[in-house]
Amino acid sequence: MSATRIAVIGSGPRGMMVLERLAARLGEHPGPLDVRIFLVDAVEPGAGQVYRTDQPDWFLMNTVAGQCSAYSGLPDGGPARAGAGPSFGEWWESVGDYPGPDSYAPRGQYGRYLRSVLDAVTETLPAGVRLRSIKERVEEVVRLDGRYRIALSGGERLDVDRVVLATGHSRHQLTGREGDLADLARQHPELRYIQGESAADMPLHEIAPGSGVGVIGLGLSFYDVMAALTIGRGGRFAPAEDGTLVYHPSGQEPVIVAGSRSGMPLPARGRNQKPPQYSYRPVLFTPARIRSHQPRGPLDFTRHVLPWLTAEIELVYYGTALRRAFGGEAADRFVAAVELAAEQGVPSVEAIAARLGPPGVPPIDIDALARPFADRAFAGPEDFGRALREEIERDLARAEAGNVDSPLKAALDVMRDTRWVLRELIDFSGLTGRSQKEDFLGWYVPRASFLAAGPPMERLQQVLALLDCGLLRIVGPRTRFDSDPAEGVYVVSSAQVPGSAVPVTTVVDARIPSPDLRSDLSPLTTRLRESGAWTSYVNHSGGAGYDTGGVAVTKSPFHPVAADGGIDEDMYVLGIPTEHTRWFMQVGSSRPGMWSDFVHDADAIAAHALRPVSRVEVSRAQTPELVGSGAEKAGERSPERKVG
């Protein structure tokens, strides 16, 4: 019998975890093996595009080093291998210059760790298993006589039995405002529009010193662009006597003019106070509790989900304040009172806290926190600048208190720690189409992304230093980036800040594009879409259909659904391409020794891909695992399962 041949296309963290689980399962196989695995990546096999190892060190991760692992199990005293290996922090400590488990690593350093995982997996493969890493772009994947033919950019063709596509982010066709900004640059050679993607791949070095650069967005990618245009130009940040930072320019920097809807740079993560294997277990916000109140049919996010999530956030917020004021016993009594009230429905956590808690704790308002300047009018740029500085300094004080001891930062971490609950409830049409589009993606996700996905504190300190020296200007909330064809410039302004308009000659879109199969320009994705092998997932729950733009796949192990409804049972699609079919697919690691969905998903694909090969055509049967309300999911998975 011929060898089983499996291709993994894309070797970022998702693809690497699939490879790790393939190798771990093969290592446990009792019989003789004959398996060929191909790991294909256009940028860097083992690291992928986002974590490529040749990028500068000023591009940082936003998860502390001690909480990341690319192995599915803890070290066991033997050699590092699939299923048992060091966490990122442990590996970094072993190679030297490790600043500690609560540090934020350069993304290139994490890429070097991923490469070490690839080396360890390769060196410890069982007899009869061979792995080939290929640095080429995949142009096409077609089904031929029960196998797949993979066309590589160098002209080689690979024939395989199973193919895993974990292709990550790609470029999209520019439309609307972004298309207009790009059009102006094409009409005026002195202007430049830089499309949104990873900052490490942007041509930022081409921006002239002293020129004005408009930056769209104040999220994580903004900080990358800011670092590239300052540290990357030879400037340096140094501590001042009062503990703040001072920026010493090189003279090669442009002037950054930035803005967003909120007008506030993404708030900082709280100083980490949680151990690497910490796993938060929600008290109120669980799939079982929500489904006990709404057992059938799709959910409405605002009516059925958000009240319980808000209650969980408030529980941690007031519980932390109580613990700090009166000690652990008072906090435990508060939690018990809330749990008792929850037996009757969504509890009034704020009211219970008012009876038991310390006075002077303001209510927590997600909308106001995410849009701090929404209802304010400013006299001018100086007035807004003062308000901005006050807000940043207030955020830094909260962050310094820590993600356990700051009531607010601890509460906002709930948004991160309960993502698994949201996925259980929301993925695969768990919400009505309207609620998914308007309530969840339109309202909640932007606010959660703002409040719960921030950078390390030093980035906000750097913002203040750059504001002080005049190399950064944040114009205000509801920022506009307009074209002025008559003058041949872009104009950045805020309607809430009179006199804020600033002309610039370059606009950088510092937002990662939302994945959308319909506008994806990748040659591979385009061919899969045009052939009908990949289709866009439509949420038909609760009325008119909502076309999500995510690749339509079955539930685990995530087979694509063709245009004719057929299920390709030998192909698997994981991660970014399926965003909106599922939610929050950009996660890039799991905690050491903990099996989150990140590991479960990869393991399910590995188990299915290693089943005996039968040379049959793609299945055309419909599958009940594709659609439904989400209520029929088997059991309730805990956020992370400890192994090893």
Side-chain angles (χ1 to χ4, degrees), residues 498-564:
S500 62
V502 181
V504 297
T505 54
T506 299
V507 168
V508 177
D509 193 340
R511 301 168 300 172
I512 300 297
S514 180
D516 193 327
L517 174 65
R518 298 163 296 182
S519 59
D520 195 315
L521 297 176
S522 158
L524 172 60
T525 302
T526 299
R527 291 187 174 99
L528 289 166
R529 181 183 65 233
E530 291 177 347
S531 71
W534 279 12
T535 55
S536 180
Y537 184 84
V538 179
N539 181 352
H540 290 288
S541 296
Y546 165 51
D547 192 334
T548 68
V551 175
V553 293
T554 66
K555 293 180 182 179
S556 181
F558 316 115
H559 303 303
V561 182
D564 63 2

Side-chain angles (χ1 to χ4, degrees), residues 1-6 34 143-148 159-162 570 611-618:
M1 179 179 286
S2 62
T4 299
R5 297 163 67 90
I6 302 170
D34 191 4
R143 187 85 179 197
L144 293 173
D145 300 324
R147 275 191 159 189
Y148 299 97
D159 289 338
V160 300
D161 302 295
R162 309 268 156 66
D570 292 321
R611 75 194 192 284
V613 172
S614 58
R615 309 293 181 205
V616 296
E617 292 295 322
V618 59

Side-chain angles (χ1 to χ4, degrees), residues 261-262 264-267 301-302 306 309-310 313 365-372 374-375 408-409 411-416 419 422 437-454 478 583-584:
R261 284 176 296 184
S262 72
M264 172 72 185
L266 209 63
F301 181 78
T302 301
L306 183 60
L309 174 55
T310 301
I313 292 169
D365 185 335
I366 297 300
D367 208 39
L369 288 167
R371 302 289 185 266
D375 299 321
L408 183 61
K409 292 298 182 181
L412 295 179
D413 260 13
V414 171
M415 290 178 154
R416 295 172 60 90
R419 284 170 181 157
L422 286 170
K437 179 181 180 181
E438 297 176 10
D439 305 334
F440 183 64
L441 296 175
W443 187 87
Y444 176 76
V445 169
R447 286 157 179 78
S449 298
F450 180 84
L451 293 171
R478 293 167 53 207
W583 179 62
F584 206 78

Side-chain angles (χ1 to χ4, degrees), residues 217-256:
L218 293 170
L220 289 174
S221 290
F222 158 74
Y223 292 106
D224 288 342
V225 171
M226 181 187 80
L229 296 178
T230 54
I231 303 171
R233 295 295 180 96
R236 62 185 181 87
F237 293 93
E241 292 183 0
D242 62 358
T244 62
L245 292 180
V246 175
Y247 183 69
H248 299 279
S250 68
Q252 297 301 305
E253 299 91 347
V255 177
I256 302 170

Side-chain angles (χ1 to χ4, degrees), residues 161-432:
D161 302 295
R162 309 268 156 66
V163 58
V164 182
L165 291 125
T167 48
H169 289 284
S170 62
R171 285 198 165 202
H172 293 263
Q173 183 177 349
L174 293 175
T175 58
R177 180 188 62 169
E178 289 77 17
D180 293 341
L181 295 172
D183 286 344
L184 186 67
R186 283 188 285 269
Q187 298 163 14
H188 295 268
E190 69 276 14
L191 300 184
R192 184 74 180 271
Y193 175 77
I194 298 177
Q195 186 173 350
E197 59 180 326
S198 172
D201 298 312
M202 293 178 177
L204 300 175
H205 61 282
E206 298 177 3
I207 298 173
S211 64
V213 181
V215 180
I216 304 175
L218 293 170
L220 289 174
S221 290
F222 158 74
Y223 292 106
D224 288 342
V225 171
M226 181 187 80
L229 296 178
T230 54
I231 303 171
R233 295 295 180 96
R236 62 185 181 87
F237 293 93
E241 292 183 0
D242 62 358
T244 62
L245 292 180
V246 175
Y247 183 69
H248 299 279
S250 68
Q252 297 301 305
E253 299 91 347
V255 177
I256 302 170
V257 183
S260 66
R261 284 176 296 184
S262 72
M264 172 72 185
L266 209 63
R269 295 286 306 278
R271 178 175 56 84
N272 185 54
Q273 298 172 302
K274 300 174 183 178
Q277 293 182 320
Y278 171 83
S279 179
Y280 178 75
R281 303 190 70 83
V283 175
L284 304 173
F285 185 53
T286 67
R289 190 185 295 274
I290 290 169
R291 276 298 172 191
S292 71
H293 292 276
Q294 186 72 16
R296 288 181 298 278
L299 299 167
D300 180 284
F301 181 78
T302 301
R303 289 194 294 126
H304 302 136
V305 180
L306 183 60
W308 287 103
L309 174 55
T310 301
E312 188 78 36
I313 292 169
E314 291 176 339
L315 181 72
V316 173
Y317 177 67
Y318 290 112
T320 303
L322 272 163
R323 176 175 55 79
R324 293 191 68 180
F326 303 128
E329 289 186 6
D332 291 342
R333 287 195 298 272
F334 167 67
V335 172
V338 171
E339 285 191 274
L340 181 64
E343 294 177 4
Q344 307 303 316
V346 180
S348 177
V349 180
E350 183 182 345
I352 297 170
R355 294 199 306 269
L356 302 175
V361 180
I364 187 168
D365 185 335
I366 297 300
D367 208 39
L369 288 167
R371 302 289 185 266
F373 308 120
D375 299 321
R376 296 179 61 177
F378 299 94
E382 290 186 4
D383 187 25
F384 173 72
R386 285 190 293 270
L388 176 64
R389 173 172 286 278
E390 290 172 1
E391 193 68 33
I392 293 174
E393 289 176 344
R394 189 159 42 243
D395 180 67
L396 283 170
R398 292 165 175 160
E400 178 58 36
N403 60 5
V404 171
D405 290 337
S406 163
L408 183 61
K409 292 298 182 181
L412 295 179
D413 260 13
V414 171
M415 290 178 154
R416 295 172 60 90
D417 294 334
T418 60
R419 284 170 181 157
W420 70 273
V421 179
L422 286 170
R423 283 194 289 267
E424 287 270 350
L425 296 170
I426 285 165
D427 289 359
F428 299 104
S429 300
L431 299 176
T432 67

